[in-house]
Amino acid sequence: MGKVKFNSPLVEMEGDEMARVLWQWVRDQLVLPFVDVELKRFDLSIENRERTDDRVTLEAAQAARAHGVSLKCSTITPDRARQQEFGLSRLYPSPNGTVRNVLDGTIFREPVICPNVPRLVPHWSKPVVIARHAFGEQYRAKEIVVEGRGTVKLVFEPTDGGEAVTQTVHEFNGGGVALGLFNTDESIRGFARACLNFGLQRGYPVYFSHKGTVLKQYDGRFKDIFSEVFGEFADAYREAGLVYEPRLIDDMVAFSLKSSGGYLWACKNYDGDVQSDYMAQGYGSAGLMTSLLMSPDGRCIETETAHGTAVRHYRQYQRGEATSSNPLATIYAWSRALWHRARLDGTPDGMAFAETLERTCIDLVEAGTMTRDLASLMGARHPFVSAQVFVQRAAAELKSRLG
């Protein structure tokens, strides 16, 4: 069996803990034995981020932009406890935020539906795609701890020397905290255009969730720009029998629980982070959620594992115990990156390999080979396998199919 040849490189970003272990198993057993692809590797482990003062994250993001297709493993964003655990010199920002800010664009998270796996929300029979704006918000916020009495102000100083605009945020009589968020019209417009294009291509209605009743100017700006951009798509949506609607996020959450799926939910950055995790559990597992970031022009694509680093499973792994972490999200990060690389390069054999890899893994699950998270949905006595065994069986079946 000859390897499938890819003409251009992938930018690979390794992560932390059990997610990193799964990443290496998938790469070394399900990808590299079958494909010939150059990997531009970057180690985004928390230890290497400390060694490089986080320069490695920016370098990885710049490489992702230069080469067009990248994929990223889950990484640690340290809090105070993890700072102490790893002896970090500072609290490093989210690597996801750094990479996404360089690439800009929108993250599309979509569940993998295994027909035989019961869903926690049984009537979710069709996918819900969470479109998450990937710029600004909490991931580029400025925050301060207020130590005593004083005033926090929001100030805009025009570059052209015009009159500054100042608003008092709060007059503190004692300690507290303050936070500054921002976004740009250009990025919001790219977000809206990406969502509306995606909805049209997939035949999905699009809903943008906001809190415009409270953040009248901030969320109101998002709402206005979405409405403006939708003007470019209105005729095409009407012909396709599709709709676009802005909805209060409270109403959208209630609607999502009652619906059967089959729509795109456009969320602001942090809202999308939360809602995609909630959706993943509703469909069965965080291991069943795919994640794809696309730049506004569609040139740059980054696939990710949408779950965390699985620290509890990593502790078991360190003790030499078999773990049953679900590797499907990791497998799909690789398969979707390979598929897009092949699509951009015009190599159909690469696209076919990526599709075969995905089909092989879904067929295994449908045949009853699954990790603990999925087996528990089937019933208390349903057998399950370790993550390592699942990857090994998938590799054997893939070899047989490609033989």
Side-chain angles (χ1 to χ4, degrees):
M1 179 186 66
K3 291 187 176 183
V4 177
K5 173 70 175 176
F6 284 77
N7 298 328
S8 303
L10 295 176
V11 174
E12 176 194 359
M13 306 177 208
E14 292 186 293
D16 291 291
E17 299 180 324
M18 198 64 209
R20 185 186 182 99
V21 176
L22 290 173
W23 188 268
Q24 293 170 343
W25 286 347
V26 169
R27 180 191 63 207
D28 296 343
Q29 297 180 55
L30 291 176
V31 177
L32 294 185
F34 305 101
V35 304
D36 180 5
V37 61
E38 181 184 0
L39 298 175
K40 304 285 188 181
R41 291 182 177 173
F42 293 86
D43 180 5
L44 299 193
S45 66
I46 193 63
E47 295 91 347
N48 196 45
R49 296 180 67 203
E50 169 72 12
R51 281 192 292 269
T52 64
D53 194 33
D54 214 22
R55 288 190 306 276
V56 65
T57 306
L58 183 58
E59 290 168 358
Q62 292 168 340
R65 184 171 59 188
H67 293 285
V69 180
S70 58
L71 63 164
K72 180 185 171 297
C73 179
S74 299
T75 47
I76 291 171
T77 300
D79 56 13
R80 295 291 181 188
R82 305 226 80 179
Q83 180 183 24
Q84 185 174 11
E85 176 186 349
F86 289 99
L88 305 177
S89 57
R90 61 187 176 97
L91 289 174
Y92 293 101
S94 164
N96 289 341
T98 300
V99 174
R100 292 166 189 164
N101 285 329
V102 170
L103 297 182
D104 200 357
T106 299
I107 301 166
F108 296 97
R109 287 187 170 168
E110 181 174 359
V112 177
I113 296 181
C114 302
N116 63 319
V117 175
R119 289 171 286 278
L120 293 179
V121 183
H123 54 273
W124 284 357
S125 57
K126 294 174 286 188
V128 174
V129 179
I130 300 290
R132 174 185 170 190
H133 191 203
F135 182 79
E137 311 295 323
Q138 280 88 334
Y139 299 92
R140 293 189 71 176
K142 298 299 181 183
E143 52 185 331
I144 59 172
V145 174
V146 176
E147 300 290 352
R149 292 172 59 88
T151 303
V152 173
K153 295 183 178 181
L154 186 65
V155 181
F156 170 68
E157 297 178 341
T159 303
D160 62 9
E163 185 176 352
V165 178
T166 302
Q167 289 193 22
T168 296
V169 175
H170 190 68
E171 294 181 357
F172 286 86
N173 292 319
V177 290
L179 177 72
L181 304 179
F182 77 95
N183 226 294
T184 69
D185 286 359
E186 179 184 13
S187 185
I188 299 169
R189 192 167 286 109
F191 172 45
R193 190 165 286 116
C195 292
L196 293 166
N197 266 317
F198 190 99
L200 194 59
Q201 291 167 11
R202 292 289 297 272
Y204 279 1
V206 174
Y207 304 103
F208 167 61
S209 63
H210 62 91
K211 197 63 176 174
T213 52
V214 176
L215 298 174
K216 291 180 172 60
Q217 295 188 60
Y218 195 98
D219 281 27
R221 189 63 174 165
F222 274 80
K223 186 180 173 183
D224 290 347
I225 290 175
F226 258 82
S227 178
E228 171 195 322
V229 173
F230 180 65
E232 304 170 16
F233 294 83
D235 291 342
Y237 266 63
R238 191 180 305 110
E239 291 175 8
L242 299 173
V243 298
Y244 159 71
E245 291 181 16
R247 292 190 172 187
L248 288 171
I249 192 166
D250 320 57
D251 296 338
M252 194 63 209
V253 170
F255 168 77
S256 72
L257 281 174
K258 292 182 288 187
S259 76
S260 60
Y263 58 89
L264 184 143
W265 180 353
C267 297
K268 291 164 57 190
N269 202 342
Y270 185 69
D271 291 348
D273 195 5
V274 173
Q275 299 305 329
S276 59
D277 287 344
Y278 141 76
M279 282 288 179
Q281 293 301 327
Y283 279 99
S285 169
L288 294 178
M289 185 65 76
T290 67
S291 183
L292 169 70
L293 180 141
M294 296 181 65
S295 62
D297 61 6
R299 193 186 71 83
C300 292
I301 296 162
E302 182 214 34
T303 62
E304 305 171 331
T305 49
H307 55 68
T309 62
V311 62
R312 180 173 59 84
H313 286 185
Y314 187 58
R315 298 291 179 247
Q316 294 174 317
Y317 173 79
Q318 287 178 310
R319 294 194 295 267
E321 302 171 9
T323 69
S324 195
S325 312
N326 191 334
L328 283 174
T330 302
I331 293 167
Y332 270 71
W334 280 95
S335 64
R336 295 291 165 93
L338 290 167
W339 190 92
H340 282 284
R341 179 78 278 168
R343 179 182 66 85
L344 293 175
D345 293 349
T347 52
D349 287 349
M351 296 170 68
F353 169 79
E355 292 165 359
T356 301
L357 172 57
E358 292 181 5
R359 186 70 257 168
T360 298
C361 293
I362 296 303
D363 287 347
L364 272 181
V365 173
E366 291 188 20
T369 298
M370 56 187 69
T371 46
R372 186 195 298 266
D373 61 324
L374 302 185
S376 65
L377 298 172
M378 304 289 289
R381 297 186 178 180
H382 195 283
F384 61 88
V385 299
S386 69
Q388 191 166 21
V389 167
F390 185 94
V391 172
Q392 289 169 347
R393 291 186 184 179
E397 179 62 23
L398 185 60
K399 183 177 181 180
S400 174
R401 295 188 182 196
L402 296 174

